[in-house]
Amino acid sequence: MSETPTTRRVYLETFGCQMNDYDTARMMRLLETAGYEKVELPKDADLILVNTCSVRDKAEQKALSRLGRLKSLRRTRPGILLGVTGCFAQREGEKFLRRMPYIDLILGTGAIERLPEHIRALECGRGPIVDIDLEPTPSPVTDFGRHLPGKGSSVAAFLTIMRGCDNYCAYCVVPYVRGPERSRPPDDILREARGLITQGAHELTLLGQNVNSYGRGLGDEIDFPRLLTMVHDLDGLTRLRFTTSHPKDLSDRLIDAFAKLPKLAPHLHLPVQAGSNQVLARMNRGYTVEQYLARVDALRAARPGIAVTTDILVGFPGETDDDFRQTCDLVESVRYSNAFSFRYSVRPGTAAAKWPDDVPDEQKIERLINLQARQQRITRELHREMVGGRVEVLVEREQTEPGLPRWSGKSGCYREVHFAGDDIGLGDMVTVEVERAFANHLEGRAAPTAPPVQRQ
Ligand code: 5AD
Ligand code: SF4
């Protein structure tokens, strides 16, 4: 009689960016095919994977403390396997084992598809295993099964179109931990996009560290605006987004796509990082403030009302009070719909790591608070200006708590909207009349639909 294979259980935890959310979903899918099911608590798992981020020191410290706490599970569940994946795993490699000898698997960013074979080896008692080879293996699995890659939504999914980065911004660890830029062939992307739509995705977000340079190395036939149009035209897709864009590669054709492609959401995340030309040059960003502002103007001309969001770094080596004042001026003049600002954190191996980290911590914090207060004020003002107007919302969640608006989702301009309405379902695109503005969301009700035209 053959033995019935027992289902094994995996707990996955993700730190960091959307690329990591996508990679976690891929790992989950690979493990599902290998007989694993997902559990919500580490104590219920036979395998625990922590997908890590290295973009700032704080992200690495968080992962370390999490792994430290997970160690104690070893006492109650001796056979449990513990793995570290993602950027920090890639950066540290073997060194992780010196810090934490109880870890069974160190899996780098290019090794995701090899996860099942490593797990099989570990289950046979081999280990620990370190795989930080950036050379990807073709995937044995081409779909995502039940779990759409993303932030847990059943109607919006992420789709990675390229990996790595060749830009070498002076502060950034990404090129070292995600390797050189590699674009996925368009056929692969379209097949995956169709599959995600069949599984229920109404919205897709195309992901890459610098999507604007998509297609380099794939020949003249394909570039990002062409890929965007191909995905846009797929039947069953309601809304399309992409992130992240590098301002230096934001072409006129891509800006034109915002005018021409109606499903493309009116939102662009365009990280500026700093508002001083001297700082931008030292960061190796490849554009000036003037060039950046001209791109924003062109975008707003192509799609009036488009929301622009950004990332800003404060306290980069050598940043003076005057440099910082220029960043504040830029924030005031662009009026971003949202800005994510960060304190500079030295990343080993990067160009800026050779320079003194000379902005004192108190000053970095002071600048961050100043910038965030400005942005909160601007976001509040923009939200208030939207009261009385209408936004298009993709319905992503149904609220079960009484007294709260029943439906929630994101507007095209990437604002969280809660609203009331009848005859609505998840995945619907609903026009919402905005009635109230809050710091982080809008509230309203579904606009009455026009009565059908009576024909004689
Ligand atoms: N320190 C702080 N923030 C950083 N970022 C990238 N590298 C660093 C660093 N060394 C920020 C940038 C980037 C965002 C994802 O993280 O603003 O756009
Ligand atoms: Fe890092 Fe610059 Fe590449 Fe963005 S573009 S991932 S900031 S090196």
Side-chain angles (χ1 to χ4, degrees), residues 50-332:
V50 180
N51 197 4
T52 59
C53 169
S54 272
V55 78
R56 284 169 286 278
D57 182 58
K58 210 165 120 191
E60 292 188 344
Q61 295 310 321
K62 264 204 235 163
L64 286 178
S65 89
R66 189 71 188 117
L67 288 162
R69 269 181 286 138
L70 288 169
K71 179 186 175 190
S72 61
L73 280 174
R74 272 274 150 84
R75 277 196 297 273
T76 43
R77 311 210 45 203
I80 202 166
L81 295 172
L82 185 55
V84 191
T85 68
C87 295
F88 196 13
Q90 184 71 39
R91 200 173 81 70
E92 284 280 275
E94 293 252 359
K95 280 188 270 164
F96 239 117
L97 294 177
R98 265 177 258 151
R99 273 179 203 254
M100 299 185 161
Y102 53 88
I103 286 174
D104 303 289
L105 175 66
I106 313 286
L107 192 81
T109 55
I112 287 174
E113 309 298 334
R114 294 188 287 276
L115 177 63
E117 67 190 72
H118 293 322
I119 296 297
R120 272 195 299 277
L122 288 171
E123 285 170 349
C124 296
R126 273 172 269 152
I129 295 171
V130 179
D131 181 355
I132 53 166
D133 189 352
L134 277 170
E135 203 54 52
T137 306
S139 179
V141 169
T142 53
D143 69 352
F144 275 93
R146 284 173 298 128
H147 307 283
L148 290 184
K151 290 260 176 238
S153 167
S154 60
V155 299
F158 293 159
L159 201 178
T160 293
I161 60 165
M162 60 199 297
R163 292 184 173 273
C165 181
D166 287 342
N167 285 315
Y168 292 94
C169 299
Y171 49 81
C172 187
V173 79
V174 166
Y176 308 92
V177 290
R178 290 219 167 238
E181 188 180 288
R182 289 146 287 159
S183 294
R184 289 179 68 189
D187 290 348
D188 261 19
I189 295 169
L190 290 170
R191 191 182 53 233
E192 190 166 310
R194 281 191 210 99
L196 292 169
I197 293 168
T198 310
Q199 285 160 248
H202 293 252
E203 175 181 297
L204 292 177
T205 302
L206 307 184
L207 297 181
Q209 235 70 49
N210 177 14
V211 290
N212 307 10
S213 62
Y214 171 83
R216 271 182 211 159
L218 292 181
D220 293 341
E221 297 302 304
I222 189 77
D223 61 6
F224 188 56
R226 286 199 190 104
L227 178 77
L228 203 58
T229 308
M230 281 155 53
V231 179
H232 175 273
D233 291 345
L234 292 176
D235 284 339
L237 184 72
T238 316
R239 190 152 74 187
L240 182 58
R241 301 183 184 277
F242 61 85
T243 196
T244 289
S245 287
H246 196 304
K248 79 177 163 57
D249 297 316
L250 181 57
S251 66
D252 289 341
R253 283 185 44 243
L254 184 54
I255 290 179
D256 208 33
F258 280 99
K260 290 198 176 125
L261 304 179
K263 295 184 202 167
L264 188 58
H267 167 224
L268 184 68
H269 186 61
L270 196 61
V272 67
Q273 310 298 359
S276 142
N277 283 335
Q278 273 144 31
V279 174
L280 286 174
R282 268 184 292 118
M283 285 178 166
N284 190 31
R285 289 291 287 173
Y287 54 84
T288 62
V289 172
E290 293 72 23
Q291 286 165 336
Y292 180 91
L293 291 173
R295 296 282 78 188
V296 172
D297 285 347
L299 259 173
R300 288 179 167 160
R303 181 72 88 84
I306 190 169
V308 183
T309 53
T310 204
D311 290 343
I312 296 172
L313 242 168
V314 301
F316 187 70
E319 185 188 68
T320 62
D321 282 341
D322 189 53
D323 290 324
F324 177 66
R325 191 187 46 71
Q326 293 180 48
T327 299
C328 295
D329 291 348
L330 176 98
V331 166
E332 297 289 348

